[in-house]
């Protein structure tokens, strides 16, 4: 593809957004003092009228006072750390804003007030604005493209001219770092950041360093887009399609908090589409006529496999077809159990619950005797009977139990004579999915007989091409 000038790239981006059904307008046309003014001052980063309209449209039974209180909570988020303020906004976006309000019948309402309709796309307000001037703290900046959802600026796209020797995709990255420092109010509401020079395009979050800004290489499904297409076109059509964007915001953004700092992470394209396929396979496998084999997700080491497992768990837990399932996350070593449990514990917002870790066999049995729900971590050894030669007692006949096995190719998962046979005795109707960082040997019929065939593959070559893994790391993985 020939190099674009910055203005041509911007015009092309706007056309791609328009084709996706977004309304397009220029920043000057909605500026203060204009006939179509939507901002009182250049410091306003939220389009108040659109947000008020959305709150009223999505919450018709809530009083105006309740809607106004939700508006105040949304627009007055304050925290010393920008990522913490952003986390609060994301929570409101996904879960709604909890306010106390007076109903028409005189009773008090406590229902969360919806900010976004995640089910009916056209109940939302979709707007893209180019050249939006924003002032704050004496700084005057003009991001190239800002995407608004119900009046909230959820994405910023910064473009550079690939024909200029001094302007690269990393110039756009650096420009965003400047914006974050000088216009912090804009980024309270930000979900996604995009950089492009017309040739390359990458996506990240407000926490992402250079290494975490990655390409998005598909439009629909896991099939890679043609290399003759502009990377920016693939990214815009792949991410900002309305259905995919709402799913990405709802299920594929996580704030990993280790107690000191929070890091905002979003799924890569391989994680997003792998989880979609695995979810469909899980629903199918767990039906009365299903064979209980969900499949195997092979995502090479270093490509975020643990986080993919957490994203998958979050989707399965919330899907109505699974009827509040129980997930059992299975490893074959205590150290792996601790590591994976730590990842899931930091992602509890995705799971809408805190995971539990089985301390011993008795505790495991107690955790699995529940009527529904729960995310339980255990090592497979805890499914061994206490007395050699005994069978493990049946714990549940429910079919909405999903066993998520890490490194599923290992010989420890022996369903003929080993630990896993006792798991089958304990949970006869559970479905099984395997995640692995290395490929299954072609001769390994046992793993396939338990888990099924590949449901998603993201190999070393693809990871290196995407920049998710460098060549040196790939050589280590290959060994």
């Amino acid at each position: 593809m020939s190099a674009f000038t910055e203005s041509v790239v911007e015009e092309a981006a706007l056309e791609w957004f328009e084709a996706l059904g977004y309304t397009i307008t220029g920043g000057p046309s909605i500026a203060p003092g204009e006939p179509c003014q939507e901002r009182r001052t250049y410091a306003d980063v939220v389009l108040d009228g659109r947000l008020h309209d959305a709150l009223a449209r999505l919450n018709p039974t809530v009083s105006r006072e309740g809607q106004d209180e939700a508006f105040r909570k949304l627009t007055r988020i304050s925290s010393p750390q920008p990522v913490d303020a952003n986390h609060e906004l994301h929570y409101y976006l996904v879960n709604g804003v909890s306010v106390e309000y007076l109903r028409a019948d005189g009773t008090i309402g406590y229902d969360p007030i919806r900010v976004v309709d995640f089910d009916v796309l056209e109940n939302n307000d979709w707007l893209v604005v180019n050249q939006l001037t924003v002032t704050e703290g004496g700084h005057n900046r003009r991001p190239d493209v800002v995407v608004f959802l119900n009046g909230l600026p959820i994405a910023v796209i910064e473009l550079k001219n690939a024909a200029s020797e001094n302007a690269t995709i990393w110039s756009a990255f650096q420009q965003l770092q400047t914006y974050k420092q000088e216009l912090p109010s804009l980024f309270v509401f930000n979900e996604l950041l995009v950089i492009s020079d017309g040739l390359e395009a990458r996506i990240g979050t407000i926490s992402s360093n250079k290494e975490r800004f990655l390409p998005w290489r598909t439009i629909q499904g896991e099939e890679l887009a043609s290399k003759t297409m502009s990377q920016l076109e693939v990214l815009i059509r792949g991410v900002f399609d309305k259905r995919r964007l709402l799913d990405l915001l709802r299920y594929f953004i996580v704030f990993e908090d280790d107690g000191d700092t929070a890091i905002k992470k979003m799924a890569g394209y391989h994680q997003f589409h792998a989880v979609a396929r695995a979810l469909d396979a899980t629903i199918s496998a767990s039906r009365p006529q299903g064979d209980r084999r969900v499949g195997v997700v092979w995502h090479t080491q270093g490509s975020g496999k643990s986080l993919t497992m957490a994203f998958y768990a979050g989707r399965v837990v919330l899907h109505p077809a699974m009827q509040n399932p129980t997930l059992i996350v299975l490893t074959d070593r205590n150290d792996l159990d601790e590591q994976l449990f730590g990842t899931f514990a930091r992602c509890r917002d995705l799971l809408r619950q805190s995971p539990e870790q089985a301390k011993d066999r008795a505790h495991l049995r107690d955790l699995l005797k529940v009527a529904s729900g729960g995310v339980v971590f255990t090592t497979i050894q805890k499914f061994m009977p206490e007395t050699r030669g005994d069978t493990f007692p049946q714990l549940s006949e429910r079919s909405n139990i999903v066993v998520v096995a890490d490194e599923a190719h290992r010989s420890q998962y022996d369903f003929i004579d080993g630990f896993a046979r006792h798991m089958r005795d304990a949970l006869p109707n559970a479905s099984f999915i395997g995640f692995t960082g290395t490929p299954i040997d072609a001769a390994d019929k046992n793993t396939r007989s338990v888990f099924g065939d590949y449901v998603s593959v993201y190999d070393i070559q693809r990871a290196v091409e995407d920049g998710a893994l460098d060549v040196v790391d790939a050589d280590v993985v290959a060994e």
Side-chain angles (χ1 to χ4, degrees):
M1 192 183 94
S2 60
F4 289 146
T5 63
E6 189 174 325
S7 61
V8 171
V9 176
E10 188 175 302
E11 284 302 317
L14 297 178
E15 288 177 9
W16 292 322
F17 273 109
E18 189 170 28
L20 292 173
Y22 289 73
T23 300
I24 311 298
T25 193
S29 68
I30 61 170
E34 294 299 315
C36 297
Q37 165 184 327
E38 293 196 42
R39 308 166 69 201
R40 291 186 301 276
T41 73
Y42 284 105
D44 293 339
V45 295
V46 173
L47 304 181
D48 291 1
R50 292 177 187 264
L51 179 55
H52 274 300
D53 289 348
L55 292 174
R57 185 171 60 251
L58 301 181
N59 305 278
T61 63
V62 176
S63 67
R64 181 58 187 262
E65 290 75 19
Q67 295 169 18
D68 288 347
E69 178 59 22
F71 179 91
R72 281 190 288 273
K73 277 195 168 186
L74 279 164
T75 56
R76 296 181 184 176
I77 295 171
S78 179
S79 175
Q81 295 298 324
V83 71
D84 292 334
N86 188 246
H87 190 179
E88 186 176 346
L89 181 280
H90 179 77
Y91 183 89
Y92 289 153
L93 207 67
V94 171
N95 301 293
V97 183
S98 294
V99 299
E100 186 178 300
Y101 61 93
L102 189 65
R103 295 193 181 103
D105 62 5
T107 59
I108 302 296
Y110 299 97
D111 301 327
I113 292 180
R114 293 195 300 165
V115 183
V116 176
D117 191 328
F118 286 100
D119 300 314
V120 183
L121 303 179
E122 298 313 318
N123 278 349
N124 301 299
D125 183 290
W126 306 87
L127 178 71
V128 172
V129 180
N130 67 314
Q131 301 301 318
L132 183 81
T133 299
V134 180
T135 62
E136 184 171 356
H139 302 289
N140 184 315
R141 295 290 181 178
R142 194 171 58 200
D144 291 321
V145 178
V146 180
V147 181
F148 287 87
L149 175 59
N150 293 339
L152 299 173
I154 62 159
V156 175
I157 301 175
E158 189 63 20
L159 307 169
K160 292 298 175 187
N161 176 10
S164 169
E165 291 183 9
N166 299 321
T168 68
I169 191 169
W170 301 119
S171 304
F173 171 84
Q174 209 52 54
Q175 188 73 61
L176 288 179
Q177 308 316 302
T178 301
Y179 291 165
K180 286 194 296 183
Q181 291 293 322
E182 297 180 353
L183 309 174
S185 296
L186 177 62
F187 292 90
V188 168
F189 305 95
N190 183 266
E191 292 285 23
L192 306 171
L193 296 174
V194 175
I195 54 176
S196 180
D197 62 1
L199 297 177
E200 289 186 82
R202 293 177 178 244
I203 189 167
T205 75
I206 63 167
S207 298
S208 300
N209 56 20
K210 276 187 178 182
E211 288 69 32
R212 294 303 305 164
F213 267 79
L214 295 173
W216 192 280
R217 298 177 66 196
T218 65
I219 294 177
Q220 291 185 347
E222 291 192 312
E223 184 180 351
L224 295 183
S226 168
K227 290 187 177 179
T228 61
M229 290 182 68
S230 154
Q231 286 189 21
L232 183 59
E233 179 182 0
V234 174
L235 191 155
I236 288 174
R237 291 175 59 192
V239 173
F240 290 94
D241 166 83
K242 293 175 183 178
R243 177 73 274 150
R244 280 191 289 275
L245 178 61
L246 291 186
D247 284 347
L248 188 67
L249 298 183
R250 191 179 194 182
Y251 302 116
F252 292 95
I253 287 177
V254 65
F255 291 77
E256 283 198 349
D257 192 341
D258 62 7
D260 296 322
T261 57
I263 298 174
K264 184 179 185 179
K265 296 181 178 180
M266 62 167 283
Y269 75 90
H270 63 291
Q271 296 170 309
F272 180 90
H273 292 296
V275 168
R277 293 188 64 175
L279 176 66
D280 289 344
T282 302
I283 294 167
S284 178
S286 62
R287 286 180 177 139
Q289 68 275 23
D291 69 359
R292 307 294 181 255
R293 297 186 304 160
V294 177
V296 175
V297 176
W298 167 29
H299 282 200
T300 192
Q301 295 173 29
S303 65
K305 176 169 64 73
S306 297
L307 204 52
T308 303
M309 294 173 74
F311 288 133
Y312 165 77
R315 291 241 53 190
V316 172
V317 162
L318 290 176
H319 200 285
M322 294 304 295
Q323 300 179 329
N324 194 16
T326 299
L327 268 67
I328 301 169
V329 184
L330 194 67
T331 61
D332 61 359
R333 298 206 316 255
N334 287 332
D335 59 334
L336 293 179
D337 185 57
E338 290 289 345
Q339 289 172 18
L340 204 51
F341 178 77
T343 297
F344 275 59
R346 292 190 297 272
C347 298
R348 56 188 172 273
D349 283 0
L350 279 179
L351 307 172
R352 275 59 170 185
Q353 60 192 296
S354 294
E356 299 265 11
Q357 193 172 26
K359 299 180 181 69
D360 50 38
R361 290 184 182 90
H363 188 215
L364 174 64
R365 293 178 189 183
D366 288 341
L367 290 172
L368 297 184
K369 284 178 180 176
V370 296
S372 62
V375 178
V376 177
F377 277 72
T378 183
T379 55
I380 197 166
Q381 288 82 355
K382 292 186 177 70
F383 279 94
M384 277 296 280
E386 293 180 21
T387 304
R388 189 175 181 82
D390 285 357
T391 58
F392 202 87
Q394 181 173 298
L395 298 180
S396 176
E397 289 185 317
R398 286 193 291 121
S399 61
N400 66 337
I401 295 175
V402 182
V403 177
V404 184
D406 187 32
E407 297 305 337
H409 63 286
R410 288 198 178 130
S411 60
Q412 283 89 331
Y413 297 107
D414 182 353
F415 277 72
I416 308 303
D417 301 308
F419 300 122
R421 178 174 65 81
H422 298 292
M423 169 175 276
R424 272 294 194 206
D425 293 337
L427 306 165
N429 296 314
S431 295
F432 287 73
I433 181 171
F435 284 79
T436 177
T438 54
I440 297 170
D441 191 290
D444 182 359
K445 295 179 181 177
N446 193 29
T447 299
R448 283 189 172 82
S449 70
V450 174
F451 298 102
D453 289 320
Y454 287 127
V455 72
S456 176
V457 173
Y458 185 73
D459 59 19
I460 294 173
Q461 181 181 349
R462 182 87 69 91
V464 170
E465 288 174 359
D466 291 348
L469 202 64
D470 64 31
V471 176
V472 174
D473 289 338
D475 288 342
V476 172
V477 171
E479 291 171 3

